[in-house]
Amino acid sequence: MADRRSASLHAVHDAFLQRGFRRSFSGADIAYTGSLDETGLKVPVVVSLDDFEFITPPKIRLLNHDVKSRGHIPHVLRSDGTLCYLAPGTVVLDRYKPAQTIIQCLEIADRVIRDAVRGRLDGDIAVELAQYWTDGIVFVDLPPDFERDAKIHLVTFDREQTVERPLASTGDSPFLLLHERCTGKEPAPKFLCPVVRVPTLYFDPKQPWPPKTLKDLNDWLSVVAPAAVGQLEQAFARTSDDYRQWICLSAPNGRFFIMAEIPQAYRTPEILKNRRLRIGAFLKRISGLVSISAHAGVSIDEGYVFSRNLGGMNHLAGKRILLIGCGTIGGFLSQQLVQSGAGTGGGRLTIVDDDDLMGANLGRHLLGTPFLGRNKADACADFLKEQLPYADVRSVSHSITSDLDLIFRSDLVINATGEEALSIALNELAVAQRPNSPPLLFTWIEGNGAATVSFLCGDPERACYKCLKTDLARAPRYQLGRRDVSIEYGQVRSCADMHFIPYPVSRAAAAAGLACDMVLDWAAGTLTHTWRSQTLDHRLANRVKDCNPKKVESCPACGGNLE
């Protein structure tokens, strides 16, 4: 490795010299100074190289931010002049060809800076405006078309975190409830924040940016969004006696928040209270003294989160899903369901488990030490509501057998317990109540994590769960486990858990993933195979093709041949 690094250093050095760069010894990193677009613009830069694996590209920093006195340059960070010439993941750099890789990066940077300086990339400023709106962020829990008064609260999302972050919402966001759960207190006093719809926002690279005063802001808005000029002053007149005021510009290229502060010398009762209704005219006179800060909006509303993850695919919003079993598989599955939209859009996820989380569970359960001794369903519901507080997640801490009505109030029932006796009982109930029973999804792990299986039944013309194994004394219909392999059992000290089947946590996560995929296909109406398996250890299990099992006439549950 030392020889390779030494060879890379020499190759990189030669490549830089070929481009007319010289080694710089002013910093701790390996750096070279030279020029981009060496035959044209001759833009002076310093190139820092601290990753010889080339997982990240060399950092290129302009020594003069305002190249050729043109003002702001697209793709150049105003804070330190760093040139963003490669988007992450767009180009794979070759670690085995360091010299060619350095030349490749410099040539790409040449093109970017050349196009940027000559105005060919000015449109990118609108696309990436949030990158230049740099004073901070505001989390946004608002519908995409929201256009009226919002409220901004300072909230905490984590019990261990003391930092308060601005949240824009209608005032009834579930994130406000999360703040109360984390801190035991209501959020800090709210601020009025009108949301004003504006056209696509951009700025002239030749002009100073970003605006730092109310005057700068209005000068800019008079060009890009004239209707928004004066909105901040009007908001000041409608709010309380605070010296601060928020406003949000909602544009097709993002949401952009502005907070204005009246100078200290003018924060008097006469101005802030007695003359509040006429404060707009006063602010216009001192607009050059009213400081503003710009904050980019970061969406965290449920619609954005699920559309980003699933794109155009159907998610689980609006569905009533009952998950029986919150153990090894069920814990991971509950999280995946919520992250797929379960419990949102008027839907609900109900988790049922009468067991408590114990030490033996920690090695392969979603929950960890903070939840020891708690009922698994209750603890899992609390955990999920902290992760995604807008999800309606309910818990039932007793056995499903004592509350069977839950089944018939659901759109889909999932049995993730892996208990065959319970599966047979639930199947019998569902078959007896057809067509009034919801579809049942059974998910389990074969042997010592050798394979995972998910099976959805509910169609009277197809197999029920019992059709997969009509006689307990016989082999199952689909023989996943190899006949010559015995299941290994483990034993723990607690009398409440005398034996268990060892397998790694990865197999539980795989089983949950397979089940979640089937649930998403069910929701989208694209479920092509009702029986799916995934073989994870070919030494222990066979591979069985996905299929749609047919009914078995001798099935005691749905075939009518009871003995």
Side-chain angles (χ1 to χ4, degrees):
M1 291 298 292
D3 290 344
R4 177 180 290 177
R5 180 175 173 83
S6 178
S8 294
L9 277 169
H10 283 95
V12 165
H13 182 75
D14 291 343
F16 275 116
L17 292 183
Q18 178 184 329
R19 276 292 306 261
F21 279 71
R22 292 293 179 266
R23 179 74 185 271
S24 172
F25 296 94
S26 59
D29 294 337
I30 297 173
Y32 288 80
T33 57
S35 298
L36 295 180
D37 192 28
E38 56 185 340
T39 61
L41 296 170
K42 296 183 174 62
V43 179
V45 297
V46 58
V47 182
S48 301
L49 182 64
D50 60 0
D51 178 14
F52 277 86
E53 308 297 329
F54 292 106
I55 298 171
T56 57
K59 179 180 178 180
I60 299 178
R61 182 170 59 85
L62 275 63
L63 296 177
N64 175 13
H65 299 192
D66 300 329
V67 180
K68 303 299 182 185
S69 302
R70 189 179 177 277
H72 193 93
I73 307 299
H75 299 288
V76 176
L77 299 184
R78 197 71 174 180
S79 57
D80 65 354
T82 297
L83 175 66
C84 301
Y85 65 99
L86 268 181
T90 57
V91 175
V92 179
L93 302 178
D94 193 340
R95 58 181 291 181
Y96 297 107
K97 298 179 179 179
Q100 294 93 322
T101 296
I102 290 297
I103 297 299
Q104 177 188 16
C105 289
L106 292 176
E107 288 177 347
I108 294 172
D110 283 343
R111 291 197 298 270
V112 171
I113 197 66
R114 191 162 50 239
D115 289 344
V117 169
R118 293 174 180 171
R120 297 171 187 162
L121 303 181
D122 284 359
D124 291 357
I125 285 180
V127 176
E128 302 174 354
L129 184 60
Q131 301 298 320
Y132 309 107
W133 200 267
T134 54
D135 290 319
I137 64 173
V138 173
F139 290 108
V140 183
D141 183 16
L142 292 170
D145 57 349
F146 186 88
E147 187 183 4
R148 55 182 187 275
D149 286 347
K151 298 177 177 63
I152 287 184
H153 292 83
L154 299 179
V155 297
T156 292
F157 297 147
D158 190 331
R159 285 192 177 95
E160 304 301 323
Q161 193 176 63
T162 57
V163 177
E164 292 184 325
R165 302 178 182 276
L167 170 75
S169 71
T170 59
D172 59 355
S173 168
F175 291 97
L176 301 178
L177 299 177
L178 177 60
H179 173 91
E180 292 187 29
R181 292 178 61 189
C182 291
T183 65
K185 301 181 296 184
E186 292 185 359
K190 61 181 179 292
F191 299 94
L192 171 72
C193 181
V195 178
V196 181
R197 191 168 296 279
V198 294
T200 298
L201 296 178
Y202 62 93
F203 65 89
D204 185 346
K206 298 179 182 179
Q207 301 301 317
W209 188 262
K212 292 299 182 184
T213 68
L214 181 58
K215 181 181 184 306
D216 296 338
L217 175 69
N218 284 334
D219 287 346
W220 170 62
L221 288 176
S222 65
V223 176
V224 298
V229 175
Q231 293 283 348
L232 189 56
E233 294 90 321
Q234 294 178 28
F236 260 112
R238 294 195 295 117
T239 194
S240 61
D241 58 354
D242 202 292
Y243 62 88
R244 294 162 294 183
Q245 180 58 56
W246 288 86
I247 191 172
C248 172
L249 304 176
S250 181
N253 55 329
R255 286 189 174 113
F256 305 96
F257 290 80
I258 301 159
M259 186 183 73
E261 293 190 2
I262 295 175
Q264 180 71 44
Y266 297 97
R267 298 174 191 174
T268 64
E270 175 64 21
I271 293 173
L272 297 181
K273 293 184 178 180
N274 300 341
R275 298 169 58 184
R276 194 75 187 191
L277 294 178
R278 299 187 300 277
I279 200 170
F282 171 74
L283 292 175
K284 185 176 181 179
R285 292 200 301 271
I286 65 165
S287 61
L289 302 176
V290 178
S291 63
I292 65 168
S293 56
H295 303 257
V298 176
S299 295
I300 57 173
D301 61 284
E302 62 180 83
Y304 171 78
V305 168
F306 299 123
S307 65
R308 185 180 188 278
N309 287 347
L310 298 172
M313 294 186 293
N314 284 33
H315 50 70
L316 305 180
K319 306 296 184 183
R320 296 168 299 173
I321 298 176
L322 175 65
L323 174 60
I324 303 170
C326 193
T328 303
I329 300 175
F332 291 111
L333 180 54
S334 69
Q335 183 179 40
Q336 293 181 22
L337 293 173
V338 168
Q339 290 175 325
S340 300
T344 67
R348 177 181 298 173
L349 174 63
T350 302
I351 306 172
V352 180
D353 201 306
D354 61 353
D355 195 16
D356 294 337
L357 187 75
M358 304 305 290
N361 305 130
L362 294 180
R364 59 185 192 195
H365 200 279
L366 172 71
L367 303 177
T369 304
F371 298 93
L372 276 174
R374 291 193 58 189
N375 172 265
K376 289 178 181 177
D378 292 343
C380 221
D382 284 348
F383 173 78
L384 295 173
K385 284 186 283 190
E386 282 194 2
Q387 304 306 303
L388 292 170
Y390 33 69
D392 184 358
V393 182
R394 309 289 177 91
S395 60
V396 176
S397 57
H398 51 255
S399 172
I400 186 63
T401 58
S402 61
D403 199 355
L404 294 174
D405 284 346
L406 286 171
I407 293 174
F408 302 101
R409 296 199 296 268
S410 304
D411 298 318
L412 175 70
V413 178
I414 305 170
N415 178 21
T417 64
E419 297 176 8
E420 191 164 5
L422 178 61
S423 297
I424 293 171
L426 292 174
N427 179 76
E428 177 71 25
L429 177 67
V431 169
Q433 297 295 324
R434 287 176 178 174
N436 298 319
S437 58
L440 269 167
L441 177 68
F442 300 90
T443 183
W444 68 92
I445 292 175
E446 287 279 341
N448 295 109
T452 65
V453 183
S454 285
F455 172 61
L456 183 76
C457 62
D459 184 346
E461 302 304 315
R462 290 183 174 175
C464 73
Y465 176 81
K466 188 59 180 171
C467 288
L468 302 181
K469 191 176 183 181
T470 57
D471 190 330
L472 292 177
R474 296 178 183 175
R477 186 168 175 179
Y478 302 105
Q479 184 69 47
L480 273 166
R482 293 188 182 276
R483 296 181 187 275
D484 57 341
V485 174
S486 299
I487 298 176
E488 175 190 348
Y489 290 91
Q491 189 168 354
V492 295
R493 298 173 182 174
S494 170
C495 63
D497 190 10
M498 288 299 292
H499 70 274
F500 64 96
I501 300 177
Y503 53 81
V505 64
S506 58
R507 308 301 163 85
L514 179 63
C516 187
D517 283 342
M518 288 193 69
V519 174
L520 287 170
D521 287 346
W522 161 80
T526 58
L527 189 65
T528 55
H529 296 106
T530 58
W531 192 94
R532 294 185 190 174
S533 68
Q534 184 179 14
T535 300
L536 303 172
D537 190 335
H538 293 274
R539 299 169 305 156
L540 306 178
N542 302 301
R543 184 180 181 278
V544 178
K545 290 184 178 180
D546 297 345
C547 59
N548 292 302
K550 296 181 179 179
K551 291 179 65 174
V552 176
E553 290 301 321
S554 61
C555 173
C558 69
N561 296 327
L562 296 176
E563 295 182 0

